[in-house]
Amino acid sequence: MIKLKRIETFVIRYPDPNDFGFDRLTLLVRAETGDGVVGWGEAIAMWPEACKAVAVLIEEGFAPLLENVDLLEGDSAWEAMRRHSWWFGEGGLAAFAISGIDMAIWDIRGKVLGKPLFELLGGLRKNSLPACASSHVNKSTMKECVDEAVSFFDAGFPSCKLGLAKKGLSNIGGDPDRDVEFVARLRREAGDESEILVDVGNGVRWDADTAIDVANRMGEQGIGWIEEPLYPTDDAGYLKLKASTPVPIASGERNWTTTDYRRMIELGAVDVLGVDPARCEGITGFRLIDVLIGDAGRTINAHAWSTAITTAASLHLSLASSSARLFELKPFDVVVQQDLVSNPVRREGARVYPLTEPGLSVEVDERLVNKLAVE
C-alpha cells in the first residue's frame, strides 16, 4: 500500500516572454509518500487570490482526506476529492486543486511502478506529434508581428497558433479587418504549407455575426482552426457560427469538468476541444474527457502553456490519445520550462517525441521552486 506522507503547495511567480515579459503565477504541488517517493503536479489558478485559495483547498481540505488512501488503487483518491468538494461546487477552484494533487499522484504511481505515464495510460497511440508554436501576437507593428510568426516556421515548426488581443503593444485583436489583414499577410510570407491557427480568446468580444464574417475571411487564407471566437457559454452563437462557416472551431480552454465537455460535445458546434490537465481535474479528468471526445469523433488539443510539469503531463496524455493531432510548445525560452526540470519537453525538428523516464518523466529543481515561490 502506497500512502501519502505530506502534500505541499508553492505559489510561484515568473516573467513570461510570451506575455510580453509580464509576470505570471501558478501553483505547484509536491506530494511525498512514506517511502520518500516525490510526485509533482500543477494547478494553473493564475491570479494571486485564486492561487492562495487553491493552496488552502489542497492543504486544509484534500490533504487530510487522502492520508489513508492507497495511491495505486485506481481512481480512489480522485473520487474521494470529488465527493468531498460536492458542496462547494463542481469545477472552478475545486477543479484546480484536484488537478494539482491528481497529477502528482500519477507522477508517484509511475515512479513506484517504474513506468512512464503514457504506459500507465495504455501505451502510445502515436510515436510523435507535429510541433505547434503557441505564441501571443503582441509586437508594436504589423510587420513585427508577421515577422515573428514567420520566424517560428523558419525555425522548423510546421504549425503556429497565434493569440490575439494579448498583453503587449499590438492592436491586433482590436479590429476585425486588421485581424484578417494580419492573417492574410502572414499567409503570403509563410507560404501555403505552414499551418496557421488563430486563437481569438478572452481579450476579444465578438458577436456571432462578426465571428462568422471573420472566420470566413480568415478561412480564405486556409487557417487550420479558429479558437474561442465567442464566449464559451454562447451556445446560440456557436451553433450559428458552426452552420455558417467551414472553418473548424476550437474551444474548451476555459472548461473544467467532464460535465462541461460533455455539454460542449452534445451541442455539436465545436470540432477541436482544448483540455488542460492542470485545470480539468487532473490526468484522471483528462482521460475521461478524452474518451468522450474520441467517442464523438472530435479532436483533443492539450493545453500545455504553463510550466514544464504540465507540458510533460500534456505530452504523455496526447501521445496516449487517438484524438490528438498536434502538440503546442512555447517558442521562447521560459524559466519554468527550460530551467524548472532536468529534461524538459523539446521539439526535435518538426515533431515532439515521448518522454520515457518513470512518472511524468521530469525531475523538478526544488531550489528553483523555492526561489520563485511567493511568500
Side-chain angles (χ1 to χ4, degrees):
M1 184 171 182
I2 305 298
K3 293 167 50 174
L4 285 173
K5 179 180 179 181
R6 67 171 63 89
I7 296 177
E8 301 173 87
T9 62
F10 303 85
V11 178
I12 64 170
R13 182 191 302 272
Y14 61 95
D16 194 334
N18 293 276
D19 250 358
F20 211 68
F22 285 87
D23 283 353
R24 293 174 68 91
L25 278 81
T26 190
L27 183 140
L28 303 184
V29 177
R30 182 188 187 276
E32 184 176 351
T33 71
D35 296 327
V37 179
V38 174
W40 286 88
E42 182 174 0
I44 307 177
M46 193 175 295
W47 307 122
E49 70 278 12
C51 289
K52 290 178 183 178
V54 172
V56 171
L57 290 176
I58 289 172
E59 295 185 0
E60 299 182 19
F62 292 138
L65 189 72
L66 302 178
E67 289 177 354
N68 295 309
V69 173
D70 184 353
L71 302 186
L72 301 185
E73 187 180 329
D75 296 335
S76 56
W78 187 82
E79 291 170 353
M81 290 187 287
R82 291 198 91 240
R83 284 196 303 269
H84 180 76
S85 62
W86 74 270
W87 182 259
F88 51 82
E90 183 179 69
L93 298 178
F96 286 128
I98 293 170
S99 296
I101 295 176
D102 184 76
M103 194 182 296
I105 287 174
W106 278 97
D107 192 23
I108 288 172
R109 286 177 182 167
K111 289 173 179 176
V112 169
L113 298 173
K115 295 181 179 181
L117 177 59
F118 68 76
E119 287 193 22
L120 303 183
L121 300 174
L124 295 173
R125 297 296 185 93
K126 299 176 176 67
N127 292 321
S128 65
L129 284 167
C132 175
S134 183
S135 181
H136 290 167
V137 180
N138 55 25
K139 302 304 182 289
S140 60
T141 68
M142 174 79 74
K143 184 180 186 306
E144 287 177 293
C145 292
V146 170
D147 287 350
E148 182 174 72
V150 169
S151 75
F152 304 147
F153 295 126
D154 290 344
F157 285 95
S159 177
C160 184
K161 190 175 93 171
L162 299 163
L164 311 184
K166 304 297 185 180
K167 294 174 182 175
L169 302 177
S170 175
N171 64 355
I172 295 173
D175 174 68
D177 291 336
R178 186 171 176 83
D179 302 342
V180 173
E181 179 190 356
F182 166 68
V183 172
R185 288 183 58 172
L186 176 56
R187 174 58 71 205
R188 288 195 297 270
E189 294 293 329
D192 293 336
E193 299 303 314
S194 300
E195 182 180 52
I196 300 170
L197 310 174
V198 178
D199 178 9
V200 180
N202 191 46
V204 175
R205 289 290 185 268
W206 289 342
D207 58 22
D209 290 336
T210 302
I212 291 167
D213 174 63
V214 175
N216 284 329
R217 287 196 284 161
M218 288 184 175
E220 294 173 358
Q221 306 302 323
I223 63 170
W225 74 58
I226 188 165
E227 185 166 330
E228 293 196 335
L230 299 169
Y231 196 75
T233 55
D234 183 3
D235 292 355
Y238 271 103
L239 287 170
K240 185 176 181 180
L241 174 62
K242 179 63 178 173
S244 305
T245 183
V247 175
I249 300 166
S251 189
E253 183 180 318
R254 287 179 277 178
N255 287 356
W256 287 280
T257 67
T258 53
T259 303
D260 293 336
Y261 285 94
R262 183 181 293 109
R263 173 183 167 278
M264 182 175 289
I265 290 168
E266 292 175 350
L267 182 68
V270 176
D271 306 287
V272 181
L273 292 103
V275 188
D276 191 328
R279 64 181 290 132
C280 73
E281 298 181 327
I283 289 166
T284 303
F286 190 108
R287 292 176 70 207
L288 295 172
I289 294 162
D290 185 43
V291 171
L292 296 176
I293 292 171
D295 289 347
R298 310 293 171 78
T299 298
I300 194 168
N301 185 49
H303 196 239
W305 221 72
S306 188
T307 79
I309 296 169
T310 293
T311 300
S314 292
L315 181 59
H316 283 286
L317 286 159
S318 296
L319 292 170
S321 169
S322 60
S323 301
R325 77 166 184 83
L326 56 80
F327 191 75
E328 296 183 33
L329 289 173
K330 293 186 179 185
F332 307 110
D333 285 350
V334 186
V335 63
V336 295
Q337 284 287 336
Q338 281 69 33
D339 299 336
L340 182 65
V341 301
S342 59
N343 49 332
V345 174
R346 297 185 188 278
R347 173 177 58 90
E348 296 180 36
R351 304 188 71 83
V352 185
Y353 293 88
L355 300 172
T356 57
E357 295 300 311
L360 295 181
S361 307
V362 293
E363 290 300 323
V364 174
D365 184 344
E366 297 194 23
R367 292 174 299 178
L368 182 58
V369 172
N370 285 300
K371 181 180 178 180
L372 297 175
V374 177
E375 294 295 332

